[in-house]
Every structure is written in C-alpha cells, then in structure tokens.
Amino acid sequence: MLLSRIIMCIDMDAFFASVEQKANPRFRSKPIGVIGGGPRTIITTASYEARKFGVKTGMSIPEAKKACPHLILVIANNARYTHTCRGLEEIFRRFTPDAEIYSVDEAFLDITATHHLFGGPEEIGRSIKRSVKDVFGINCTVGIAPNILLAKLVSDIAKPDGLRWVKPEEVGGCIEDIPVKELWGIGARTAERLAVLGIRTCGELGRTPSSLLRSKFGIYGEALRAMGLGGCSRPVQTNTEEAKSIGHSMTLPRDILERTDIEHCLLLLSEKVGRRARKYGYLGKTVSLTLRYPDFETFSRRKTLAEFTNDTHDIYKSVLRILEGIGLRDRIRLLGVSLSTIVDDPHQIPLIEEERKRKAVLRAMDCVNDRFGEFKLTWGSYFRREREGGVISPSWKPSGVKSVHLK
Ligand code: TTP
Ligand code: MG
C-alpha cells in the first residue's frame, strides 16, 4: 500500500508589508501598501489592516487611496525581503531536507519521513510559526495535507496566522464546496469554461465523467478531474538549484523609442544577467531579447553564440545584434534579456591576453559591487542615467538563478 505523504505549505502573511511593519514601528497596526519606486508602480501587497478597506495587490495608487484614504505607501526594499527569505529557508531545513522554496514567501516541505522526530506535523507547524515570529517578527500560515495542491489550498483557507492539517480521510469533505477557481493551477479562463458546463465546485468537478472533461479540455481534462478529487502527483521539488536560464526584464517608467534609451536599458539588463551568471558560476550560449509594445504585444528573439559566455559585453553585443534585426513598429514598454543553454563555468583562464584582461576587469567590478552594492561601480554609459526603482518578483528564490521581473 502506498503511504500517504505529509506535505506542508508555509506562506507568509502579507509578506512585504509585514516585513516593513516589523522594520518600522510607526507602520505597525497601520494600513500600509508596498509599492515599487517607478512612476507606474502598483500595490504589490497590502497589510491586513489595509485589506479591510479593500486595498488589493495590483491596484493603482489612486484606486488604493480611494479605497483607503489614510493608506501609508511604502517603497519596496528588496534586500529586506531576500534576506528574510534566506533566513526562512534555514528555519524550514531544520525540520526536513526536502524543502522547496517555491517563491519569495512560500515554501513546501515534505515531512513524511521526519515528522515523528519533531512531535508530529502540527508540532512542526507550530515550531515554524514560532521561529518565524521570533526571528523575523512576522506571521505565516501553515497548511498540511497529503499533497502540495491541497497543502496550498489549506494554507489559503487558514489565512492569516493559521495552522491547519487536513488528513487523507478529510480531503473529500474539505474540498467539496470549494470553488474550482481556488485551486492552484485553475485560472479564471478555465474556471469560466467549467462554469459553462455547470461545474463550480471541486465536488462537482470530481464527479464529472472523465469523458466529458476530455472532450472539452483534451488531455488536461483528466488532470482537472483529479484536481477536483484533491489529487496531485507533483512532488516537492528539492533540487531547484539547476539553472535553465538567467533572465531579467523591466517595464520601463515610460514607453521609449530612442535608440540610446533602449541601448542604455539593454546594457543594464545585460550586466544584471552577466553578473548573476558569474556569481553562480554559469556560462550560457543563447541570448534572448524580449520586447513588449504599449499594446502588450510581446515577443522574443534569440541568438546562439559561437562560445559559451557570462561576459556582460558579449551578452550586450548579441542583444544589440538581435535588436538590429527587428523593425520596431512602436515604442517599447518592456525589455528583457536572458541567457540560456547553461553550463557550469569551468573557470578556464583565456589564452588571449585581451580576454584575460576583460575577465579580470569584470571580476574586479563584481568584487566591488558585491561589497558596496549593486551598480556602485558601473559602465560609463550607464552612469549618465538615473536609476529606476524596482520591485522584486514573487518568483525570486534564494538559489538565485531565476527570472526576475523589475516592475
Ligand atoms: P502573496 O503570497 O501572493 O501575498 P502576500 O504574502 O502579500 O499575502 P498573503 O499571502 O497573506 O495573502 O505574495 C508574496 C509577496 O510577493 C507579496 O508580499 C508581494 C509580492 N508580490 C508581488 O510583488 N507582485 C505580485 O503580483 C504578487 C501577487 C505578490
Ligand atoms: Mg504570502
């Protein structure tokens, strides 16, 4: 007989806002909204005090202020969130090596093999909540269930500051009346298509014949039915260190068309990508450029290089070459650069003197910036420009190699 697994989802409550409230006593118990630094910023998260007034993630500042006129706006401080996330990982790993840091504020732990060492699943949940509060002064919610789909659902239901364990025999009763759109992986469009078939709750989805779902959703129909029954076969993925690609993108503070403005942003993005690849010891052979027009049409073009690289200038030159092949039809709203076809950097010393020098310069720049902060030492062409504020993506992970979107 297959032993049921015990999976825990830990999700920080109003993460960025809670970190800010802890850091600044004058924000405590107050409605605050965390925003990016640029002029087009939105609310990335709101404290629970602000949520009572209807302030939500994604709202524009005027919308949020209308809902809550005394809302305090706080500019995001990414370093605080990433530092907290790294510390959280340390806490989680005390209880199991099978920990997946899913996003900047969510983790999954497989505690099947270790829970008995710590007094059981709920005791682990309580210990984690206590440690997170003691070390970082913030609340989190813990959902425990037989798989990650249910653990996530249970943590959403138990929010905020909750702890709930749904055992295998309780799954059916727990999810029967839950709207399908609450399930992780069922988006608004799928929920609408299901509603057309008269399926609104998980219970209804689980009772729908596979043949009907297959005829409407193809191969995905089978998975949908399993989800309705609370099933999910995705294991906790503990080995997420493997880099597939390293990318950065940014929505520009204003739409741009001028070549020098575009080049300036591309150099900044190339440096971010190159620096990250160097930091984690990777080389890549494919460079991609992503563009978004103001009407949101988005596309990417890629170029395969002759050699593997993590040199900012190699990446930048390739991106410029890609750009030359694109006839821009409008201003640019978003730019992205990424490096893929990744291998480990064997750290060979180049034979050509010029390349050796370039490598040494990059290493020296990285050392200075590691010590004194990002872009403290930078390329002259970037130095002319002011920097724009950004907000870290929720998909940020401490493993570091991840696409990051700067709003
Ligand atoms: P969430 O876990 O979605 O939300 P939350 O932690 O703020 O609130 P709760 O879990 O209690 O409902 O997001 C985690 C953090 O990621 C959040 O604090 C802010 C950030 N974030 C963004 O930057 N952009 C986004 O679109 C979302 C949804 C979150
Ligand atoms: Mg959260």
Side-chain angles (χ1 to χ4, degrees):
M1 197 187 96
L2 254 182
L3 204 67
S4 177
R5 304 211 73 78
I6 304 178
I7 309 296
M8 179 177 279
C9 173
I10 307 147
D11 190 321
M12 302 302 123
D13 297 336
F15 182 49
F16 291 2
S18 306
V19 171
E20 295 303 333
Q21 286 180 318
K22 174 65 187 167
N24 302 290
R26 67 181 197 284
F27 298 154
R28 295 199 193 142
S29 313
K30 298 265 167 55
I32 72 164
V34 179
I35 57 171
R40 291 203 215 186
T41 188
I42 49 160
I43 303 284
T44 61
T45 197
S47 65
Y48 274 81
E49 292 84 357
R51 291 182 196 197
K52 279 192 210 134
F53 292 88
V55 180
K56 290 197 182 97
T57 296
M59 270 186 172
S60 69
I61 291 175
E63 276 175 315
K65 279 279 192 189
K66 193 168 168 213
C68 177
H70 53 299
L71 181 72
I72 303 169
L73 297 173
V74 181
I75 294 186
N77 181 331
N78 296 339
R80 275 196 192 124
Y81 317 140
T82 54
H83 167 79
T84 308
C85 183
R86 286 199 182 90
L88 291 170
E89 184 177 8
E90 268 180 50
I91 296 175
F92 303 154
R93 288 194 188 277
R94 286 183 210 152
F95 300 94
T96 174
D98 298 332
E100 175 179 351
I101 308 304
Y102 182 75
S103 73
V104 74
D105 89 321
E106 275 167 295
F108 294 110
L109 311 188
D110 187 334
I111 53 168
T112 315
T114 55
H115 69 90
H116 63 283
L117 301 173
F118 300 96
E122 283 168 309
E123 195 43 46
I124 293 185
R126 277 191 287 271
S127 299
I128 287 179
K129 283 172 66 67
R130 222 173 10 247
S131 298
V132 171
K133 188 78 178 180
D134 288 349
V135 179
F136 296 105
I138 62 177
N139 290 329
C140 62
T141 297
V142 173
I144 310 166
N147 60 50
I148 60 168
L149 175 81
L150 292 170
K152 169 104 180 99
L153 178 71
V154 170
S155 87
D156 286 345
I157 295 171
K159 267 189 172 294
D161 198 17
L163 167 65
R164 184 158 171 207
W165 181 15
V166 173
K167 299 187 186 121
E169 62 276 17
E170 297 164 348
V171 169
C174 166
I175 65 169
E176 174 65 32
D177 297 324
I178 301 279
V180 288
K181 66 172 176 353
E182 303 292 323
L183 285 178
W184 193 34
I186 298 194
R189 253 183 68 85
T190 305
E192 270 169 33
R193 289 175 65 196
L194 287 168
V196 172
L197 302 173
I199 304 167
R200 285 187 176 77
T201 65
C202 291
E204 288 164 355
L205 180 58
R207 283 188 293 275
T208 306
S210 296
S211 51
L212 174 62
L213 291 168
R214 233 181 295 126
S215 71
K216 300 288 176 196
F217 296 92
I219 194 160
Y220 181 46
E222 210 65 64
L224 278 175
R225 182 161 182 277
M227 286 163 82
L229 295 167
C232 171
S233 57
R234 180 191 180 280
V236 170
Q237 288 169 359
T238 51
N239 193 9
T240 50
E241 308 288 305
E242 216 41 42
K244 294 279 187 290
S245 75
I246 300 169
H248 281 272
S249 63
M250 63 193 295
T251 299
L252 304 161
R254 62 182 172 85
D255 299 337
I256 56 172
L257 190 60
E258 300 77 20
R259 177 82 187 189
T260 48
D261 289 341
I262 296 174
E263 286 178 4
H264 152 67
C265 291
L266 292 178
L267 176 59
L268 159 66
L269 291 167
S270 302
E271 166 64 353
K272 275 183 165 281
V273 169
R275 183 152 182 258
R276 190 164 275 241
R278 295 191 294 276
K279 180 165 180 190
Y280 292 97
Y282 291 113
L283 298 170
K285 216 177 177 202
T286 308
V287 170
S288 307
L289 167 65
T290 301
L291 296 174
R292 177 173 293 157
Y293 289 124
D295 61 7
F296 280 84
E297 186 201 340
T298 309
F299 60 96
S300 295
R301 297 276 183 277
R302 58 176 50 202
K303 182 170 170 42
T304 303
L305 313 179
E307 306 283 346
F308 282 94
T309 189
N310 57 17
D311 182 322
T312 298
H313 278 283
D314 289 341
I315 300 168
Y316 179 55
K317 273 188 303 191
S318 314
V319 168
L320 287 187
R321 236 166 285 140
I322 301 173
L323 182 69
E324 276 157 22
I326 300 171
L328 295 179
R329 70 156 168 84
D330 200 348
R331 292 171 174 271
I332 305 292
R333 181 185 164 86
L334 170 144
L335 283 168
V337 171
S338 73
L339 185 65
S340 53
T341 324
I342 298 286
V343 294
D344 288 329
D345 185 354
H347 293 289
Q348 276 169 352
I349 300 168
L351 292 174
I352 304 165
E353 156 120 39
E354 205 49 39
E355 282 185 22
R356 267 204 303 278
K357 277 191 194 156
R358 243 170 57 176
K359 253 194 151 155
V361 169
L362 283 172
R363 208 170 27 243
M365 276 180 70
D366 290 347
C367 280
V368 171
N369 290 330
D370 283 344
R371 175 130 185 231
F372 297 106
E374 201 175 40
F375 290 106
K376 283 289 178 297
L377 186 61
T378 188
W379 314 98
S381 46
Y382 179 58
F383 191 64
R384 287 186 282 120
R385 310 289 173 141
E386 78 192 78
R387 288 182 51 196
E388 305 294 345
V391 177
I392 192 168
S393 156
S395 62
W396 183 92
K397 294 181 192 200
S399 52
V401 187
K402 188 75 188 81
S403 287
V404 172
H405 184 90
L406 298 172
K407 283 214 173 78

